[in-house]
Each structure stands twice: as C-alpha cells, then as structure tokens.
Amino acid sequence: MSHYTAEIAWHPVFELVTSLQAFMDPRLHKVIDLGEAWRARVRSGLGPALRERLHSVSNSGRVETVIGTSAALAWVWYRLKATSNNATVEDFLAWAKGLNLGDLFSIMSEMAPPGEEVRRDLEAVRDEAVTVLQAWHDHFFKDLDQAILSGLALEADSRKSVASAFAPEDLVEEV
C-alpha cells in the first residue's frame, strides 16, 4: 500500500523552472534529450549580463538552492493561483517577487523536508531565484516556440486521463 500520492500537473511556469535547471545543471545533459549542444546554442543567444549571472550562480554552488526555491514557489503558486484562471508566467514572477517575508517563510516551511529548517537568508534566496528566473524568461523562455508548450500541455492532459489507473509508484515509472 502506498503512503504517497502522485498527480499530473502542468503549467508553463514549471517549464520555465525546468528549462533553467536543464541549462544550469550539466549533470542533466547526459539524461535529457536537449544535451550539451542545446546548452551551447542557448548560451550563445543570451546576453553577457545573464551569462555572467548564471555562471556566478553555477560557480558558487547555488544552483540547487536557486532551482529548489524556484520549484517550491512555482508549485505553491500553481496550487494557489494558476488553477483558478489563465495565470501566466509573468503573473507567477510578480507574485513571487511580491511575497512578504511572513508568507515566504510559511510557504518554504511547508515545502521543507521534515526536520529541515528554513534558511535564515530566505528573502535573499527568493530574490536571487526570482531575478534569475525573470532574466531567463526575458532572454530565453518568452521566445520559446509555443508549439512546444502546446505539445507539453497536450501530453499532460493525455497523461491525466489515464493517471487514475495507476498506483502512485507505477504512475511515476510510466511518466
């Protein structure tokens, strides 16, 4: 018997975070279809300021923190805002940037693994994550071929229609 649940959730904001992670984490290049050639092509199209910012985040070892914070915020925003209307990536970025410290602490406390404390520099981490996501959106994501996002949305809908036929473990394996 399973002790957890699994569901299919899709929104462009998840693709924003995932595409940034795919770009910033070279370990993923071996297991994703995009690979190093995609990263090099995207990197050449980014402005020097964004390339330097991403390089700085990577070299300082903050990639996991930036991506983890971004993913947690995206998930909470999706649950609170995205399912009720036609919320956009821009709406997410404005929401994340505008979170007061109390709400931010509450969100990150909920998302933290059991026994793990919320970072004391939470506001600075959020600010860095939102700044990087905003720049990534402005210089890469907003110009992404909409057919890609449409295809991903269709795939998610297709998977949702059969998800209830699987136990959570099997759904994860299937997807």
Side-chain angles (χ1 to χ4, degrees), residues 81-103:
K81 308 282 185 182
T83 55
S84 63
N85 60 28
N86 292 325
T88 65
V89 169
E90 292 83 0
D91 295 333
F92 162 71
L93 292 168
W95 172 83
K97 184 176 183 178
L99 280 172
N100 66 49
L101 186 56
D103 289 340

Side-chain angles (χ1 to χ4, degrees), residues 34-125:
L34 299 172
E36 186 56 41
W38 170 80
R39 185 176 190 273
R41 193 169 53 254
V42 170
R43 187 177 192 288
S44 70
L46 301 177
L50 180 53
R51 279 196 310 266
E52 179 54 38
R53 176 176 286 282
L54 297 177
H55 183 73
S56 171
V57 169
S58 293
N59 283 349
S60 67
R62 296 188 319 267
V63 172
E64 288 183 18
T65 300
V66 167
I67 296 301
T69 301
S70 299
L73 290 171
W75 180 249
V76 170
W77 174 83
Y78 174 81
R79 293 298 229 181
L80 294 174
K81 308 282 185 182
T83 55
S84 63
N85 60 28
N86 292 325
T88 65
V89 169
E90 292 83 0
D91 295 333
F92 162 71
L93 292 168
W95 172 83
K97 184 176 183 178
L99 280 172
N100 66 49
L101 186 56
D103 289 340
L104 182 60
F105 183 83
S106 176
I107 287 168
M108 298 311 282
S109 294
E110 262 183 53
M111 299 299 290
E116 187 174 304
E117 290 186 26
V118 175
R119 297 174 62 110
R120 293 188 185 273
D121 61 346
L122 186 57
E123 199 167 25
V125 169

